[in-house]
Amino acid sequence: MAALAFDGVARLWICVLVVMCAGCSGKRRVEHPNQVWLSEIKIEGNHAIEDDDLIPGLALERARRDGRGTDPYQLTVDTKRIRGAYLRLGFFDVQVDARIDREDNAEIVVFTVVEGPRLKAAVSITGLPPEVSEAAVRGKLGIKDGQPFDYGLYEDGKDIVKAMVEEAGYPYLDLDDSVVTVDKPKGVAAASYRVTLLGPRAAFGDVTITGVDAGGDLERAIRGRLMFRTGEPYSPKALVETQRALYDLQRFSQVRIEPDRTGLGATVPITIGVTVVSRHELHSGGGFGYDAQNYEARVRGGFWYVPLDYPLWTLSSDARVAASFPSVDDLQWRIRVIGSAHRHEMFRPYLQGQVDVGIDYFALDAYTAAGPIVRLFASGPLGVRWLTGQLGWAFSYFDFSDIDPAIDPVTAAKLGLRGQERNGRFEQSIAAERRDNPLDPRRGFYIGVRVSEGTYIAGGAFDYLEIQPDLRFYIPIRSLVLAGRARGGTILGDVPVTERFFMGGAQSHRGFAPRTLSPSITAIVDGEEHSVRIGGETFLETGLELRIPIGDIGVKYGLTLFLDGGDVPADTDKLDLTNLHWAAGAGVYIKLGGFKIRVDVGHRLNRTGPGEPYYDPDPLIDFLENTSFSLGVGETF
């Protein structure tokens, strides 16, 4: 079984690599008698700028890839282009010459560079208003006194100076008199920023809103999300934050915020124009997952609808069906159908409320459960937008069937598999979202805690406390990203069997297949030893991975190196932090249409001996049994 799984995944990896290699292939030159063609481009004498930073941008490089000869005009343009690259870095005495060497019909273009000295920057800033300190501006600038001059940093500095002056309340200014003066004998490039104020310090004026009914719910919602008020000092940052807040309302496909700065007056009128999204939408999708233990196919469909007279309400339905194939003879279904009513701006801006009612059906190794589920919750920011909280109530009532024969009646009663499960609970969560992009983060962190209290007051038959903390961080290292995660959970008191914890899979511990890192029950069934996974009362999961972008072949692709650790013991007091399951591995990924598709392989590093899952005395089989392959969509965390 392990060999078959390995062979299937190997074929999958080969297909991925073939596609990536195919994308890297370029056009081949077709040779003809007496045809002259450009075979190579060389650059000599360059030290400050690498070949890889110069050659790809040359017009002759495109000619070389296409199998064409050297165009004299392109040669002249590329000579100037290389010289311009050096001038932008402060090499004002640079000399660039070009020649063409021949080897039979093959041409070799050689650019010779004499770099000369690189000038140092001397930065001056004049004309700042009293509210903006020169020291603060210099601290923001990328170009510094005494450091090598860089035109790119100098031009970026104009945007920085302009933004800081505008943020101080001065919307009317220009930097047209800013210049760079070169003093070659002193080895200095004097970079000046000269601010000219064209009008007074200004405040926000009246706000006009177009695209929605005057006085209606949407206009009130827009005004409730403004990050400024009439009479407050003018601030471009407040306009950007307002636009983001209006998009977050999920009611507008386009938001245009236009300050009127034509009058050069003491107030700046603001016009906000919005385009309302469609009031209804159908959606559908599907997918296929694979790992060494399981195949899974998924389909999803639903709709949402916004009532015309209640534009802050969304009525929706969502149906999800998944079929898992742990083996040829075993098929496990998971079906969930949910109807929802969602209310934006409930009682006050940013406060949202939602009601979910549905039916859940899922088949696991140990049992099959089916029944209704209900959930009510409200969420919103807690003082600042990046800190959010949620309060809610949830209820589920499941009937159990197909209980695995390894679970005897005494154990079934202990687990709560008595025929039905009535679980009512109150839920609270708080999260600090400080990532630059939650879907594709490069820097920042996320901290969250979710707490649930099962109680008779909530309509349940269980009395328990569940706590799940979650910490994630992201550190950019040039183009790479170092990402880490630590999360866990525990249930104190009565433990509903449907709330027990499992780990493993593409979004979890990648040393195990989905849900296979779990306590199990072993019994003799029909004369043979049989095990079934039942989940644990606590879990701990940690991970560290290095995300390495490699290139772009029409789709971006790269590698991931990771180390995953964790455990799911049967009881809380059996969690041993010094003896977690550890797995190391690597993966390849592509980014296609906004989705990141990953193929990961993880190998368990410890706890692989007798008594542990997947142990086999044959070294090769044991290695394969303790190696897990997974296909995932999106970031791991």
Side-chain angles (χ1 to χ4, degrees):
M1 177 65 183
L4 290 175
F6 178 80
D7 181 62
V9 174
R11 290 197 295 270
L12 177 62
W13 273 65
I14 291 172
C15 291
V16 171
L17 294 175
V18 167
V19 171
M20 294 173 64
C21 293
C24 295
S25 62
K27 295 182 179 180
R28 290 185 172 272
R29 184 184 61 83
V30 179
E31 295 191 41
H32 298 285
N34 301 320
Q35 176 185 348
V36 177
W37 54 284
L38 175 57
S39 66
E40 187 178 1
I41 299 174
K42 296 181 179 180
I43 302 179
E44 299 176 346
N46 57 313
H47 304 288
I49 308 178
E50 300 289 338
D51 288 5
D52 291 343
D53 294 325
L54 290 172
I55 293 178
L58 300 180
L60 288 178
E61 172 63 10
R62 293 190 291 274
R64 185 197 66 78
R65 291 198 304 263
D66 293 342
R68 294 183 277 113
T70 303
D71 183 322
Y73 175 74
Q74 289 182 342
L75 180 62
T76 301
V77 171
D78 283 345
T79 302
K80 294 179 179 179
R81 185 174 281 123
I82 294 174
R83 185 170 186 273
Y86 274 91
L87 290 175
R88 285 192 293 274
L89 292 181
F91 292 90
F92 291 99
D93 283 329
V94 65
Q95 296 181 11
V96 182
D97 296 309
R99 72 175 189 271
I100 301 176
D101 296 337
R102 289 280 295 271
E103 294 181 0
D104 296 326
N105 288 345
E107 297 179 323
I108 303 173
V109 171
V110 181
F111 294 99
T112 302
V113 178
V114 179
E115 294 181 339
R118 187 177 185 182
L119 273 57
K120 304 293 185 181
V123 181
S124 65
I125 306 172
T126 58
L128 292 174
E131 294 81 6
V132 182
S133 73
E134 182 176 335
V137 175
R138 288 181 178 274
K140 293 285 188 179
L141 294 177
I143 187 169
K144 307 291 185 182
D145 282 330
Q147 294 185 0
F149 179 82
D150 186 320
Y151 256 114
L153 295 179
Y154 170 70
E155 291 296 329
D156 291 343
K158 291 181 180 179
D159 293 332
I160 294 171
V161 172
K162 186 173 185 293
M164 294 184 71
V165 173
E166 288 187 343
E167 194 59 36
Y170 293 87
Y172 317 113
L173 76 151
D174 69 42
L175 293 164
D176 294 344
D177 293 333
S178 300
V179 294
V180 174
T181 304
V182 176
D183 189 339
K184 293 182 181 179
K186 294 183 179 180
V188 171
S192 70
Y193 296 99
R194 300 171 184 173
V195 178
T196 302
L197 298 177
L198 304 177
R201 193 180 190 202
F204 284 110
D206 293 335
V207 178
T208 302
I209 299 174
T210 63
V212 295
D213 294 336
D217 288 346
L218 287 180
E219 184 187 9
R220 287 193 295 270
I222 291 172
R223 293 191 182 277
R225 292 199 171 207
L226 296 180
M227 295 298 178
F228 60 90
R229 294 293 180 266
T230 299
E232 292 181 348
Y234 177 81
S235 166
K237 181 180 179 181
L239 298 180
V240 172
E241 292 177 346
T242 296
Q243 186 180 48
R244 185 182 302 118
L246 295 183
Y247 275 121
D248 288 345
L249 191 57
Q250 300 177 358
R251 282 297 177 267
F252 310 116
S253 60
Q254 187 173 16
V255 177
R256 303 172 304 280
I257 301 181
E258 301 171 351
D260 183 0
R261 293 181 284 189
T262 58
L264 302 181
T267 60
V268 181
I270 304 296
T271 299
I272 300 178
V274 298
T275 302
V276 180
V277 298
S278 171
R279 294 192 300 109
H280 45 77
E281 179 180 279
L282 295 173
H283 60 267
S284 62
F288 180 79
Y290 172 77
D291 57 70
Q293 303 290 324
N294 189 49
Y295 293 87
E296 182 176 276
R298 299 179 294 273
V299 294
R300 178 182 180 182
F303 75 92
W304 58 261
Y305 170 72
V306 178
L308 179 62
D309 295 330
Y310 302 96
L312 294 177
W313 281 93
T314 301
L315 307 179
S316 63
S317 70
D318 185 71
R320 307 184 186 194
V321 179
S324 299
F325 306 88
S327 66
V328 175
D329 299 326
D330 192 10
L331 174 62
Q332 297 178 351
W333 290 94
R334 294 198 305 276
I335 302 172
R336 171 172 284 193
V337 180
I338 298 287
S340 301
H342 184 100
R343 177 61 155 88
H344 290 278
E345 316 301 89
M346 187 176 67
F347 308 128
R348 64 181 182 84
Y350 301 102
L351 182 61
Q352 303 182 55
Q354 184 162 323
V355 179
D356 298 329
V357 179
I359 296 176
D360 211 356
Y361 173 95
F362 52 95
L364 304 179
D365 294 347
Y367 59 86
T368 297
I373 53 177
V374 181
R375 188 168 179 238
L376 289 78
F377 67 90
S379 62
L382 303 176
V384 290
R385 291 187 61 196
W386 53 266
L387 184 65
T388 59
Q390 181 171 293
L391 295 172
W393 168 78
F395 178 84
S396 58
Y397 187 92
F398 291 120
D399 281 311
F400 297 115
S401 60
D402 300 327
I403 298 176
D404 191 276
I407 303 176
D408 60 69
V410 175
T411 303
K414 181 180 177 181
L415 291 174
L417 287 168
R418 301 183 181 91
Q420 293 86 29
E421 177 189 275
R422 188 177 80 251
N423 185 8
R425 57 203 179 273
F426 297 114
E427 299 179 343
Q428 310 89 48
S429 66
I430 185 172
E433 176 60 87
R434 302 297 284 171
R435 294 175 290 185
D436 56 345
N437 181 352
L439 296 180
D440 187 14
R442 283 191 50 81
R443 67 176 70 245
F445 65 89
Y446 171 89
I447 302 176
V449 179
R450 185 172 71 86
V451 179
S452 298
E453 301 96 4
T455 171
Y456 299 100
I457 300 174
F462 299 90
D463 187 4
Y464 67 90
L465 175 66
E466 179 180 348
I467 304 173
Q468 290 195 43
D470 189 356
L471 169 64
R472 312 173 197 181
F473 68 85
Y474 308 85
I475 302 173
I477 308 174
R478 295 185 181 272
S479 62
L480 285 61
V481 176
L482 178 65
R485 171 179 63 182
R487 70 187 187 103
T490 188
I491 303 177
L492 306 174
D494 301 331
V495 182
V497 69
T498 57
E499 297 294 314
R500 300 180 75 91
F501 300 116
F502 298 81
M503 280 173 49
Q507 306 299 128
S508 179
H509 194 306
R510 285 162 286 185
F512 292 82
R515 300 178 63 86
T516 58
L517 180 46
S518 159
S520 60
I521 293 175
T522 302
I524 302 299
V525 178
D526 296 333
E528 297 184 359
E529 188 176 83
H530 174 67
S531 295
V532 59
R533 302 179 186 91
I534 60 169
E537 297 180 5
T538 190
F539 81 97
L540 177 66
E541 182 177 72
T542 182
L544 192 68
E545 68 178 40
L546 187 64
R547 300 166 183 173
I548 309 169
I550 295 179
D552 190 335
I553 53 175
V555 294
K556 296 180 180 179
Y557 65 96
L559 298 175
T560 301
L561 306 177
F562 62 84
L563 176 68
D564 289 345
D567 197 9
V568 186
D571 302 309
T572 302
D573 57 2
K574 293 182 180 179
L575 178 64
D576 185 356
L577 299 181
T578 65
N579 191 32
L580 301 177
H581 293 273
W582 290 100
V588 297
Y589 69 81
I590 61 173
K591 292 185 177 181
L592 181 63
F595 292 96
K596 184 174 184 178
I597 302 173
R598 301 177 289 110
V599 178
D600 295 324
V601 54
H603 180 71
R604 293 177 56 201
L605 303 176
N606 66 333
R607 299 181 64 173
T608 59
E612 296 290 347
Y614 314 130
Y615 173 72
D616 192 284
D618 185 288
L620 177 59
I621 295 178
D622 187 61
F623 177 86
L624 296 177
E625 292 284 9
N626 287 288
T627 300
S628 181
F629 297 83
S630 57
L631 175 66
V633 177
E635 297 291 0
T636 313
F637 50 85

